Amino acid sequence: MIQKILTLLCLGGLLSLFPLSLEAGVLEENNCSTCHSLSSEDTEKKISGPDLYYAGNKFQPEWLRQFLKVPAVVRPSGFITDPGFLKGSPENLVPHPSFPDEKANAIADKLMELKIYEQTPVVRNALSKGQRAKIKYQFERTYGCISCHQSLNLAGKVRGGISGPSLVNAGNRLQADWIASWLQKPETYLSKSRMPRYKMDSVTQNLFVQFLMTLKKENMK
Amino acid sequence: MIRYSKNFLAGITVVLVGLGGCGQNHEEQATANLKPPIQQEIEEIRPQVSQIVRAPVTEKTRKTYQWYCAQCHGIEGKGDGINAKLLTVPPRNHTKASYLETRTDEQLYEAIKFGGLSVGRAPCMPAWENTLDEETIHSLVQYIRELCQCEAL
């Protein structure tokens, strides 16, 4: 009897270990952790890529899959801690590796499991034309976001600075709730970003999130 | 002839109205046709004039400048940061004494704290009031004085 229980315990232990080793597998196998932090406890400073331990909160899964197949440049000047960042010649701007379909999907699925909060997505109303015009004005003029971030102008042309990540495709890349969370408390994600902090009231912030979600590369002309 | 001039003027107006923000292509950078801020805009952004403190320039001041300001103003403050060529109004060259001596320390302080619009300048310069503490802003003003090797006239 005792033997039986022991065998079952052992089996249970093995089974519970197995998925864990698989988990580490797909991301480790592909060396993601060389450039990205995959755990909040990873204190080693990564200078070539953004942290991914909250990838499941930040990205839209479809964008992530597509990115891993055909990587797009999100940060034209490299990552903010890159030694060459301010010189306009980042040292670590190697092209992101691209993966065949099946592997890309497996990595994306695994990354989407990395979360630091669970939240039911907030329902946000679409912007009216007037609201969109107002927020676009604030994006460019009141807050000066466009000095560092690329976005699309009314003619669908790419405009803006390149020190911040491009927002041209923000509406396909990011989750609305993550943008809201970033605007509220950027230090949750990055101990020190190069972006000014803004104290927006919740109404303006919501409108901003909605505005950023309308920026999509298919609107580029 | 009169009709032609009218159309021409209308065309110019449309172009002027269209240029509201900061992000432009390099080729279009020469057009400094940004709308100047209206008085109401200035008052909303700049609630009160503060007392200027001559805070010493420390290692923290220089690091702060490199971390935030240099993105647009450049590593040496020459107005040639990585965003510079992409802005409608070029970032200020902080080594240019002939311009900076026409600005008071209060104006520099307010430009950093409340943004370019607050002092009647370009909106490309954001407000740093929620990012930098008072002392850092004051010391950045002094750092700009160090870069330009100049004082307000």
Side-chain angles (χ1 to χ4, degrees):
Chain A
M1 181 65 187
I2 293 171
Q3 217 172 0
K4 253 187 181 176
I5 292 172
L6 275 176
T7 320
L8 276 175
L9 278 175
C10 283
L11 267 177
L14 274 177
L15 278 175
S16 65
L17 275 176
F18 193 56
L20 271 180
S21 59
L22 250 189
E23 225 168 80
V26 83
L27 302 180
E28 279 310 318
E29 259 170 40
N30 294 290
N31 302 321
C32 305
S33 64
T34 311
C35 301
H36 303 283
S37 281
L38 301 174
S39 154
S40 56
E41 282 147 30
D42 183 358
T43 48
E44 193 196 336
K45 226 177 173 188
K46 301 287 159 83
I47 54 166
S48 35
D51 292 346
L52 292 179
Y53 60 85
Y54 46 85
N57 296 120
K58 180 177 179 181
F59 296 113
Q60 295 185 33
E62 200 36 59
W63 179 86
L64 206 47
R65 285 188 200 109
Q66 193 52 36
F67 177 86
L68 290 163
K69 289 169 202 167
V70 188
V73 175
V74 177
R75 293 176 169 78
S77 308
F79 195 59
I80 54 164
T81 46
D82 190 296
F85 178 78
L86 289 174
K87 295 176 196 144
S89 50
E91 290 170 20
N92 297 297
L93 199 65
V94 285
H96 194 277
S98 63
F99 299 96
D101 284 12
E102 207 174 308
K103 199 175 256 184
N105 293 343
I107 297 174
D109 290 348
K110 198 44 76 183
L111 286 173
M112 289 307 294
E113 287 174 16
L114 303 180
K115 292 184 179 182
I116 52 172
Y117 60 80
E118 289 295 337
Q119 190 187 320
T120 333
V122 174
V123 181
R124 292 181 168 84
N125 300 323
L127 291 182
S128 68
K129 241 181 167 175
Q131 282 172 327
R132 189 165 191 282
K134 183 184 159 194
I135 299 298
K136 184 176 160 45
Y137 178 89
Q138 294 191 341
F139 181 85
E140 295 179 10
R141 202 166 159 83
T142 312
Y143 296 100
C145 315
I146 201 160
S147 300
C148 299
H149 295 283
Q150 289 180 329
S151 74
L152 293 175
N153 72 359
L154 288 175
K157 301 278 184 244
V158 177
R159 287 287 183 271
I162 50 169
S163 70
S166 168
L167 296 176
V168 165
N169 201 22
N172 288 324
R173 185 167 71 93
L174 302 170
Q175 293 182 31
D177 292 331
W178 185 84
I179 303 176
S181 170
W182 165 267
L183 287 173
Q184 268 162 19
K185 237 179 157 199
E187 66 275 13
T188 311
Y189 304 98
L190 202 55
S191 56
K192 200 177 172 201
S193 101
R194 290 189 193 250
M195 182 174 130
R197 294 201 54 164
Y198 296 108
K199 279 193 184 144
M200 290 177 180
D201 59 80
S202 60
V203 176
T204 309
Q205 188 192 283
N206 249 317
L207 294 174
F208 246 82
V209 172
Q210 278 305 88
F211 170 76
L212 294 175
M213 294 304 287
T214 65
L215 299 176
K216 295 184 174 180
K217 69 172 181 192
E218 50 267 35
N219 300 329
M220 213 189 308
K221 281 169 197 153
Chain B
M1 182 58 195
I2 291 169
R3 183 185 287 175
Y4 171 77
S5 320
K6 267 189 186 166
N7 286 343
F8 183 68
L9 275 178
I12 293 266
T13 315
V14 167
V15 170
L16 286 178
V17 168
L19 293 170
C22 295
Q24 289 294 326
N25 257 0
H26 189 198
E27 298 80 51
E28 296 167 30
Q29 194 182 324
T31 54
N33 288 328
L34 273 185
K35 273 190 293 178
I38 52 171
Q39 195 55 38
Q40 190 197 339
E41 236 176 338
I42 293 177
E43 277 162 19
E44 274 172 18
I45 304 164
R46 188 178 55 185
Q48 79 269 325
V49 178
S50 313
Q51 195 72 34
I52 280 296
V53 182
R54 276 186 172 258
V57 175
T58 62
E59 191 52 31
K60 187 186 168 197
T61 318
R62 291 170 207 278
K63 278 193 176 154
T64 303
Y65 189 93
Q66 290 302 314
W67 188 256
Y68 297 113
C69 319
Q71 299 180 83
C72 294
H73 295 284
I75 297 170
E76 293 169 17
K78 290 182 178 164
D80 57 355
I82 47 177
N83 293 323
K85 289 179 176 171
L86 299 153
L87 305 181
T88 314
V89 180
R92 187 64 58 197
N93 176 350
H94 289 150
T95 64
K96 197 176 168 193
S98 60
Y99 175 81
L100 282 155
E101 61 191 12
T102 69
R103 302 288 109 187
T104 62
D105 285 2
E106 283 83 358
Q107 283 170 317
L108 298 181
Y109 169 86
E110 281 168 12
I112 300 171
K113 185 162 181 171
F114 306 117
L117 275 184
S118 74
V119 285
R121 299 289 140 184
C124 315
M125 166 77 181
W128 295 92
E129 58 181 328
N130 300 317
T131 315
L132 306 175
D133 58 44
E134 281 294 299
E135 199 186 336
T136 307
I137 299 178
H138 284 299
S139 73
L140 281 169
V141 171
Q142 297 311 314
Y143 184 54
I144 294 170
R145 292 291 175 213
E146 190 181 306
L147 287 171
C148 74
Q149 294 283 301
C150 72
E151 293 294 327
L153 286 178

